[in-house]
Amino acid sequence: MPSPNPQTAASGLPSAPQLAGNSLPMQALRAQIGRIARCGAPVAIRGESGTGKELAARAIHTQGARASFPFIAVNCGAIPEALMEAEFFGCRPGAYTGALHERQGLFQAAHGGSLLLDEVDDLPLAMQVKLLRVLQERRVRKLGGSSDEAVDVRILCASQHGLARGVAAGTFRQDLFYRLNVIELALPPLRERRGDLQVLCEAILARLAPGQVVSLAPPVLAALAAYAFPGNVRELENMLERALAFADGGVIALDGLGLPSAAGLTPLRAAPALPERQLCLPGMAVCDGAPVLPLDVYLRQAERDMIMQALVQACYHRARAARQLGLSVRQLRYRMQKLTIQEVQP
């Protein structure tokens, strides 16, 4: 392994965003990262957009033996296909129109350290063949060059759905899959660790507004906990950054978040509209012809709906559903019995 680059070793990695959260999924994830960092095998990181795949890759790098060497991240879907070979392997002067100077590629830049191939399943098949050759031989040849040079790089890759889906669809080479998918690390989406919302908000706000005292109005956390977060932690950060611009006196209000009113928030099941002359249930109030359920009936129905939704999202896995709801498995079991929610298999 080459000598470490002092500038890279002294780069601001400690101040970079970290994987925040104390929920059980995050504790398990950090334990996995600690074990993975000790070895040098390739790692395939799988997770939805915004779950922190690059942060996980950085954590693997900084906790491993290559921490003092470069960490290079590249989004494979953002490189034009015509320039991929030069970007990855470098080029000699005159290799193509406009190549006036010798240029090192990503593999040479990451020599001794780690190279993260984000959205690696977006690579075209022709480039997958060349990448496979580099991984097998640990040598690269610059575009327009006549000799190979050795590279020592730990490969980390990331994808949203996992590489096996690309293999099944015929868009990702099976031999490259076996090279990259030696260890698979799955990142939990935010909806499966809602108990981390407060910690995440505090960490994000401390980074967005250093030195400032910013707080959340009481309804904000409850509204965030009811939101599906298709964009995960990245979407939460965007929301809080927007809300900071509208914060009054350092307090983030609910209307500053810009939460979708219909599509994002999980609606509670509405009471069915009664015909105009239909009799109401005993104890049910009516205002302007619209039935109003007693509060205890409404809250019971709301609790039932939220538990049912958590069970569906967790594929009826009780422990996972309990984590989403911030309950223990015993508490969830008690509430299911109280609300007469039957055990249903998916």
Side-chain angles (χ1 to χ4, degrees):
M1 188 178 289
S3 301
N5 182 338
Q7 292 183 345
T8 303
S11 65
L13 290 179
S15 62
Q18 303 295 314
L19 288 166
N22 300 314
S23 63
L24 290 178
M26 291 307 292
Q27 292 179 33
L29 176 64
R30 279 193 287 268
Q32 280 184 289
I33 287 174
R35 291 192 294 269
I36 291 171
R38 293 195 292 266
C39 71
V43 182
I45 303 171
R46 172 171 55 84
E48 296 176 9
S49 177
T51 50
K53 295 187 287 293
E54 184 172 340
L55 295 183
R58 279 190 180 276
I60 293 170
H61 173 77
T62 55
Q63 294 179 37
R66 299 175 181 265
S68 56
F69 294 86
F71 173 86
I72 305 293
V74 57
N75 188 321
C76 298
I79 304 175
E81 186 171 352
L83 300 178
M84 275 190 174
E85 191 171 352
E87 286 288 328
F88 277 97
F89 311 133
C91 68
R92 299 287 187 189
Y96 58 89
T97 304
L100 303 178
H101 308 283
E102 184 162 343
R103 177 183 175 185
Q104 71 172 359
L106 294 167
F107 275 88
Q108 294 95 330
H111 184 53
S114 304
L115 175 60
L116 170 63
L117 304 176
D118 196 6
E119 304 302 339
V120 67
D121 41 353
D122 284 343
L123 285 175
L125 288 170
M127 189 64 199
Q128 291 179 31
V129 175
K130 293 170 181 166
L131 178 60
L132 178 64
R133 176 181 174 275
V134 171
L135 296 181
Q136 289 173 336
E137 301 182 8
R138 296 183 177 273
R139 304 182 69 84
V140 299
R141 177 177 297 185
K142 290 182 176 178
L143 190 63
S146 57
S147 61
D148 297 342
E149 53 184 295
V151 287
D152 176 22
V153 174
R154 182 178 191 180
I155 296 295
L156 310 171
C157 66
S159 64
Q160 289 193 36
H161 306 292
L163 302 181
R165 176 180 290 193
V167 174
T171 58
F172 200 82
R173 291 180 61 95
Q174 189 171 43
D175 46 7
L176 181 57
F177 167 79
Y178 290 129
R179 282 283 176 178
L180 295 177
N181 205 73
V182 177
I183 300 174
E184 185 178 64
L185 181 67
L187 302 192
L190 184 52
R191 63 180 174 274
E192 291 184 5
R193 55 186 191 102
R194 297 176 194 267
D196 290 332
L197 275 169
Q198 184 167 352
V199 174
L200 285 168
C201 289
E202 291 172 355
I204 292 170
L205 290 172
R207 190 168 68 249
L208 294 177
Q212 299 181 35
V213 179
V214 183
S215 61
L216 303 177
V220 169
L221 206 57
L224 291 175
Y227 182 59
F229 280 106
N232 293 289
V233 180
R234 184 183 295 122
E235 185 179 9
L236 175 62
E237 183 167 357
N238 290 343
M239 280 185 184
L240 293 177
E241 188 171 10
R242 177 188 184 279
L244 271 175
F246 296 96
D248 188 10
V251 178
I252 290 179
L254 185 58
D255 56 358
L257 291 175
L259 280 168
S261 57
L265 285 171
T266 303
L268 299 176
R269 187 182 299 168
L274 296 179
E276 188 173 342
R277 295 185 179 180
Q278 182 173 339
L279 291 176
C280 296
L281 295 173
M284 181 183 291
V286 178
C287 178
D288 294 332
V292 179
L293 288 172
L295 183 59
D296 59 336
V297 177
Y298 178 84
L299 292 177
R300 180 183 175 91
Q301 185 62 57
E303 184 178 8
R304 182 185 177 87
D305 287 354
M306 291 190 72
I307 290 175
M308 285 300 300
Q309 182 188 357
L311 287 168
V312 170
Q313 289 183 352
C315 297
Y316 296 91
H317 189 284
R318 280 192 181 186
R320 198 178 305 152
R323 286 197 298 270
Q324 292 183 31
L325 294 165
L327 302 173
S328 67
V329 177
R330 180 179 297 178
Q331 288 172 324
L332 176 60
R333 188 184 304 116
Y334 167 76
R335 289 170 185 265
M336 287 175 65
Q337 291 172 352
K338 185 182 71 171
L339 298 167
T340 63
I341 297 175
Q342 301 297 322
E343 186 72 24
V344 180
Q345 296 299 325

